[in-house]
Amino acid sequence: ACTPNNSDTMPHLWSVAQRMISKATIPLMQALIYAISNKDRRLTSLYSEALIPQVVQCRPSVYKRLKAQLLGFGTDFTLKEDMIADLQQVYQCLGFTCQDVGAYAGIHCEDKDFVPLAEYNPSMDVKDASRIDLDILQIKILMSLESYQSAKYLYLYGRNYPLQQNTENDPYLLQSLHKMATTSLRQKAGHFYTEFTQYHGDVMFSDTVVLNTLDGLGKYGTKSKEYRYEIVAKTIQYQIVHMFALAQMTVVKEKCDTGNIDGKNGARHIWDHVAAFLIGSLEGASAGGSLDLQDGQLSWNLANKRAFQFSTMGEKNYAAINEEMEELLYAGLGALEAPDCQWFLNVYDNLQHLLLLPLIQSVLRFAILNDGVISDNDYRGVAAGEILALSILPDIASHDEDAAAVIKENLVTVPGSSVPLVSSGPQELANAFFEFINGLTYGCEYIGETQEVDSCAEARRATESDGYNIGEGIATLAILLVVGLLIFYVYLANKDGNEENNEEWLRDESQMIALVAPTGNIEINSCNDVPHEK
């Protein structure tokens, strides 16, 4: 029953309200399609003014096209098929289907069960789960409008990801980001969860940050709206959803080990959910995801953004990290279909490591942007840099406490402090990651470089140092070989009684050594390991 004392009251009322809003939008959509199809300029303008502003909550690239075409200086009806196709793209975001809207004048529309995620084809339907990125986008929009209470409701109760109903009598429930942030399932993320909660000293750290910031409390609650926006958005994206995806990966591994592969609760379906939480619905179905980097909200989008900035584009013209992610997602699916749980374990380990790389790139990106900015500044980049650092610091600290201290000192703010951030310089932060990256499956070349930082600088110095030592050793060996030959020759000369020749050779020995090992630094040629002068 709906009573103040029933904890289920608000979630149920919220879900009912959202479905009512969706149903009320259907007649507006039908009227706009009718007006466009009949090239009625007056009605098109009227219903566009009513409907298109609602589309801002959906895919940004589609909204921008529809806004330009329908709310601009005049509608070009020669593009009516394109406009209607774009309107059909936002049906699910607005909470209804092709069947709900119906067909008009032979306009084709199809509700698809299997929707590719940036060209990854799930084995089962996960389009509902993939729409968790819409919750994130809509919270960001509400925060930009300073509608913090509405953003809080959306965070607490969800909006776009309906949970599976096993029977018609089951209640209509929504998954929420708050549930993801607080579920005990997070413990399945293993050492990532343990390290994160121990480092921050709070098992509900991310949830607390989000709620306090929305409520105007805590460290970030009194900051500017742009600052609070970054804190909430990036905490959700790269702590809450990220941790939830890692936990789901472990669930898949456990189900593989017990032979639970198929069905709605089987390993394959949950693996497809992992893909949904890493890519999301807003990337679309095309290879590489959306060309508009404002669309995506999850790890896939982060990797594509950083690929442009760190020169880590792959052969397919999107992030090399995402090319690898797509291969791992398919490899995981193949391992489950085999089933080969040892093969899957390798995929599982590699994907965990891969997901850290865009976070490292992002920490370095904001180290560059925040270089010299005062710690207590309200600049949104300061907020972004801090949350991204706090997302990966627990894992860094468990491997290299000194490196974690450097990153924290340079990017985590101190309230009231006038000390500039990144006082060590962006390159020093890149160097701090060296040992940690060395322990990952993927090397520093996946992180790349910019004009300001080179993530491989430390690796390159280590290689050069090793090269010098090896070269020196080879040169020494050559010297010893020559000396040995000289001694052997002297022995033969003595044996023949030729004392003058012996003295002559001994006198010229230093010159021979100088020819074999010329002065100067020696290093190894990368092609054939032959020492050459530096």
Side-chain angles (χ1 to χ4, degrees), residues 211-233:
L211 290 176
N212 277 348
T213 306
L214 289 171
D215 286 338
L217 304 172
K219 180 179 180 181
Y220 314 113
T222 58
K223 292 287 189 176
S224 66
K225 74 172 184 180
E226 292 83 10
Y227 199 104
R228 293 166 72 182
Y229 172 104
E230 293 293 338
I231 293 293
V232 169

Side-chain angles (χ1 to χ4, degrees), residues 361-376:
Q361 289 177 318
S362 298
V363 170
L364 296 179
R365 169 68 175 165
F366 284 97
I368 295 166
L369 294 176
N370 295 339
D371 190 4
V373 178
I374 300 302
S375 178
D376 203 35

Side-chain angles (χ1 to χ4, degrees), residues 25-41:
T25 308
I26 294 172
L28 291 176
M29 181 64 75
Q30 292 170 324
L32 180 55
I33 290 174
Y34 171 86
I36 294 171
S37 299
N38 288 280
K39 301 179 183 179
D40 188 319
R41 197 167 298 278

Side-chain angles (χ1 to χ4, degrees), residues 273-452:
H273 277 76
V274 171
F277 299 140
L278 298 180
I279 301 172
S281 67
L282 292 168
E283 293 290 353
S286 300
S290 176
L291 295 176
D292 189 330
L293 292 177
Q294 290 186 344
D295 281 350
Q297 304 295 317
L298 303 174
S299 294
W300 185 277
N301 173 260
L302 187 66
N304 273 342
K305 283 180 179 175
R306 300 295 170 251
F308 286 106
Q309 295 153 356
F310 284 80
S311 302
T312 52
M313 300 293 286
E315 295 178 356
K316 300 176 182 177
N317 294 320
Y318 56 93
I321 290 171
N322 285 342
E323 290 183 2
E324 181 68 12
M325 189 189 302
E326 184 179 28
E327 289 183 11
L328 288 173
L329 289 170
Y330 275 121
L333 199 57
L336 295 171
E337 289 173 347
D340 186 334
C341 296
Q342 184 57 49
W343 176 18
F344 179 80
L345 181 60
N346 293 333
V347 173
Y348 167 86
D349 289 338
N350 288 346
L351 185 54
Q352 285 183 330
H353 287 189
L354 188 74
L355 293 176
L356 295 170
L357 304 184
L359 293 176
I360 296 173
Q361 289 177 318
S362 298
V363 170
L364 296 179
R365 169 68 175 165
F366 284 97
I368 295 166
L369 294 176
N370 295 339
D371 190 4
V373 178
I374 300 302
S375 178
D376 203 35
N377 197 298
D378 259 6
Y379 169 52
R380 67 192 307 161
V382 173
E386 175 160 343
I387 290 301
L388 287 160
L390 292 175
S391 300
I392 199 168
L393 270 172
D395 205 28
I396 302 289
S398 70
H399 293 82
D400 189 340
E401 289 185 359
D402 292 338
V406 170
I407 296 164
K408 180 180 179 179
E409 180 184 351
N410 281 273
L411 281 175
V412 178
T413 62
V414 177
S417 173
S418 59
V419 175
L421 294 170
V422 201
S423 57
S424 301
Q427 183 59 53
E428 192 61 32
L429 265 72
N431 295 344
F433 279 108
F434 170 64
E435 291 296 338
F436 180 73
I437 295 169
N438 242 8
L440 301 179
T441 306
Y442 303 93
C444 60
E445 65 276 5
Y446 274 86
I447 294 170
E449 61 184 305
T450 69
Q451 289 183 342
E452 297 86 358

Side-chain angles (χ1 to χ4, degrees), residues 124 164 185 188 246-274 332 335-342 344-345 348:
M124 301 182 74
Q164 179 181 309
L185 179 68
K188 296 283 187 181
L246 292 174
Q248 293 280 38
M249 287 165 59
T250 304
V251 173
V252 176
K253 181 170 73 72
E254 291 174 350
K255 286 184 178 290
C256 184
D257 290 338
T258 58
N260 185 357
I261 305 297
D262 299 315
K264 289 186 176 181
N265 295 312
R268 285 197 304 138
H269 196 198
I270 298 174
W271 184 246
D272 289 335
H273 277 76
V274 171
L336 295 171
E337 289 173 347
D340 186 334
C341 296
Q342 184 57 49
F344 179 80
L345 181 60
Y348 167 86

